Amino acid sequence: MRERQLADAFVELADTLVDDFDLMDFLHQVTVRCSQVLGVAAAGLLLTDQRGALRVAAASTEETRLLELLQLQTDEGPCPECFHSGEAVAVPDLSSAADRWPRFVAQAAQSGFASVHALPMRLRTDVIGALNLFGARPGKLDDHTIQLGQALADVATIGLLQARAIRHHETLAEQLQTALNSRIIIEQAKGVIAERRRIDMDEAFTLLRETARRENRRLSELARAVVDGTEPVLPERSTPMAAGQPPIRLRHHDGSVG
């Protein structure tokens, strides 16, 4: 079953690598497929910006994104170590690393994670980021799973190479910076949608992504429209509103309310 899922994942990701593909959506799909195919609880992907600093590029869940941010803010955790060394980092039991990464381990445990593996993303001889795989139970991933995880990290790197080929007049660093800047806009849009719809951040991202795909728009483009107010209302999801909860009414640019 896993081999079939892996084959489907590679076919899906390869199909995404078409002319003018959506880089942010592609990177998100890499993290989602990693968690599904590799049997891990969650996955996160960090990339370097123009100044060589790590930034969160994608995560399969909101909790994972926040945990990745903590690593960057404190400069502790498996991802910074993986990035700086260029080697994979495996911690089968996070409780054993409490002295090594005290804040990261505490937050990871609170988020329900008990193990972590970080895999480098290499572009030729340069390490441009890292892929983090979080487990809900202690235990080391077997060699075959690690190889599959590295293969998916390599696919993400190929995606970045494809983006460079499409936009040949830009440098790779400029493309990465654009993607990372887009991530900031997406996070802002998630916050706006979550507040308007009274839903959590994961649901807000799902709504944003579904709308972008349905309307054949770039994720970052739609997110920017939500943030600057030119996209005042996203379509409601099918989830029924709780009984007694008043409808959300928003004021539009022409002064009407609805």
Side-chain angles (χ1 to χ4, degrees):
M1 177 64 70
R2 186 171 75 165
E3 297 301 325
R4 176 59 184 272
Q5 289 178 324
L6 180 65
D8 290 343
F10 276 111
V11 169
E12 178 187 13
L13 293 173
D15 285 344
T16 306
L17 294 176
V18 296
D19 188 37
D20 201 29
F21 74 100
D22 190 331
L23 180 58
M24 294 310 300
D25 187 64
F26 168 76
L27 295 177
H28 174 73
Q29 278 298 96
V30 170
T31 63
V32 170
R33 292 305 175 213
C34 280
S35 61
Q36 294 174 342
V37 174
L38 304 180
V40 295
L45 204 160
L46 305 183
L47 296 173
T48 52
D49 62 14
Q50 287 177 316
R51 296 169 295 181
L54 279 175
R55 299 269 295 277
V56 179
S60 60
T61 67
E62 178 67 14
E63 279 193 336
T64 310
R65 186 186 73 84
L66 296 176
L67 193 55
E68 300 284 30
L69 282 174
L70 177 66
Q71 291 187 80
L72 303 185
Q73 292 166 354
T74 61
D75 195 29
E76 69 170 48
C79 190
E81 286 197 10
C82 176
F83 171 69
H84 292 305
S85 69
E87 301 294 333
V89 174
V91 185
D93 186 352
L94 272 173
S95 64
S96 67
D99 293 336
R100 183 177 175 187
W101 309 315
R103 287 168 288 189
F104 171 77
V105 170
Q107 186 59 48
Q110 186 175 337
S111 299
F113 299 130
S115 62
V116 65
H117 295 72
L119 304 175
M121 291 180 62
R122 288 194 182 89
L123 175 62
R124 299 186 180 90
T125 59
D126 296 327
V127 179
I128 62 172
L131 174 66
N132 272 350
L133 306 173
F134 295 92
R137 296 182 298 275
K140 188 177 187 302
L141 296 178
D142 59 54
D143 291 342
H144 182 56
T145 300
I146 290 293
Q147 290 173 356
L148 295 180
Q150 188 63 63
L152 287 165
D154 292 342
V155 168
T157 304
I158 292 170
L160 298 172
L161 286 170
Q162 176 76 351
R164 183 178 65 173
I166 293 170
R167 301 172 181 87
H168 58 84
H169 59 283
E170 298 177 347
T171 65
L172 177 60
E174 288 171 337
Q175 290 183 41
L176 293 178
Q177 190 65 46
T178 298
L180 295 169
N181 289 342
S182 296
R183 186 74 215 184
I184 294 173
I185 297 295
I186 291 169
E187 294 305 321
Q188 292 173 345
K190 282 164 54 179
V192 171
I193 296 168
E195 189 277 331
R196 288 179 179 177
R197 297 298 180 203
R198 300 179 186 176
I199 56 180
D200 64 32
M201 295 288 275
D202 282 329
E203 291 174 318
F205 180 75
T206 298
L207 177 57
L208 181 69
R209 185 165 176 265
E210 287 177 350
T211 304
R213 287 196 159 191
R214 183 172 57 253
E215 298 180 359
N216 196 27
R217 298 170 67 180
R218 285 184 175 276
L219 195 57
S220 55
E221 173 194 330
L222 179 59
R224 189 176 299 279
V226 170
V227 171
D228 65 22
T230 57
E231 183 79 29
V233 183
L234 288 179
E236 293 279 8
R237 301 191 73 190
S238 58
T239 303
M241 185 174 292
Q245 179 178 328
I248 300 173
R249 302 178 67 82
L250 301 175
R251 185 170 299 278
H252 301 280
H253 294 301
D254 60 3
S256 62
V257 176

